[in-house]
Amino acid sequence: SDDGYERFEVVPSKNLMNRGNLKEFVTYVKSYFPEATGMPIIQYEAGNVVINSFIFALTVSLFFLFIFIYLIFRKFKIVLLCMFPLIFSVLIASILMRLLKIDLNFANMISLPLLFSLGTSYSIYILKRVFDLKSIDKALQSSTPNAVLFSGLTTIGSFAMLSFSSHYGTSSMGVLLFISLLSAIFSCIVILPFMIKKIVSTI
């Protein structure tokens, strides 16, 4: 400009949809131009705010979820048992996201609170039925497992439709919800009964 100001525009060579690439680009630019600004820097810094807020919200949610389940069953072992499908589904979802190269972004991050609520509610239904009937075999022969299964499949089918969206974030949210909720249902219907049988004498 007439005042001697110069404008430098730095163009990334990698896809900034990947947060790793975004961090690398912003760090590189700010190492030469500490006061640089632009959409990548705004997205990166806003992302840090969102991630820190999400971690705080996640911690608070898990704390109250733990307290809520404990108030229902009054047993620490049952709380851990209820939360097993949630832990299992998060583990499976993380592995498959890595294999399918799906990044955790601001859009699909919304699916995690849904997973926390639905992933634990299925196990609560099953365990509550076991306590009411005082037998895992009677609980499995009741209508509860089928109700949980079809309710879960209905929810999964609804959210899975988001995966057909042309928007990358919305589509990845649909895929992530499909994977995580399906693994939560599987762990509740198949794995959880075996775990209950192992500790049913000590409940």
Side-chain angles (χ1 to χ4, degrees):
S1 69
D2 295 335
D3 296 330
Y5 287 100
E6 295 178 328
R7 175 183 175 182
F8 292 91
E9 184 174 355
V10 185
V11 181
S13 60
K14 297 180 181 179
N15 183 9
L16 297 188
M17 293 292 291
N18 183 291
R19 183 163 176 81
N21 294 340
L22 178 62
K23 180 180 179 181
E24 180 184 357
F25 177 69
V26 171
T27 303
Y28 178 81
V29 171
K30 296 194 78 172
S31 65
Y32 289 94
F33 306 99
E35 297 182 357
T37 186
M39 189 54 66
I41 294 176
I42 293 173
Q43 288 178 336
Y44 178 71
E45 296 299 339
N48 288 335
V49 173
V50 171
I51 290 172
N52 291 333
S53 301
F54 189 83
I55 291 173
F56 174 75
L58 173 64
T59 305
V60 174
S61 299
L62 287 176
F63 173 77
F64 281 106
L65 183 63
F66 184 91
I67 297 298
F68 175 72
I69 298 174
Y70 184 80
L71 290 175
I72 294 175
F73 295 104
R74 306 283 181 172
K75 292 182 182 292
F76 182 72
K77 288 183 179 180
I78 307 305
V79 174
L80 297 179
L81 206 56
C82 279
M83 298 188 74
F84 167 76
L86 174 62
I87 298 170
F88 179 82
S89 57
V90 169
L91 178 63
I92 295 299
S94 301
I95 294 172
L96 291 178
M97 283 178 68
R98 188 73 175 178
L99 293 176
L100 299 174
K101 297 181 179 180
I102 300 174
D103 297 317
L104 192 64
N105 52 54
F106 300 146
N108 61 27
M109 198 177 284
I110 302 171
S111 63
L112 295 180
L114 291 170
L115 175 60
F116 294 154
S117 60
L118 295 175
T120 51
S121 63
Y122 298 143
S123 55
I124 290 174
Y125 299 147
I126 297 292
L127 280 162
K128 194 70 172 66
R129 192 64 165 170
V130 172
F131 272 86
D132 291 341
L133 298 177
K134 303 185 185 305
S135 169
I136 179 63
D137 294 326
K138 290 181 179 179
L140 292 177
Q141 293 171 5
S142 69
S143 59
T144 301
N146 285 335
V148 170
L149 176 62
F150 288 112
S151 175
L153 291 177
T154 303
T155 306
I156 291 170
S158 301
F159 284 117
M161 295 303 295
L162 295 174
S163 62
F164 295 101
S165 172
S166 58
H167 186 271
Y168 173 77
T170 305
S171 176
S172 62
M173 180 173 66
V175 174
L176 182 57
L177 279 169
F178 175 79
I179 294 171
S180 56
L181 291 178
L182 190 63
S183 58
I185 283 289
F186 174 80
S187 62
C188 280
I189 301 297
V190 179
I191 302 177
L192 186 61
F194 287 102
M195 297 183 67
I196 296 173
K197 282 187 176 182
K198 290 293 183 180
I199 65 169
V200 69
S201 59
T202 60
I203 290 179

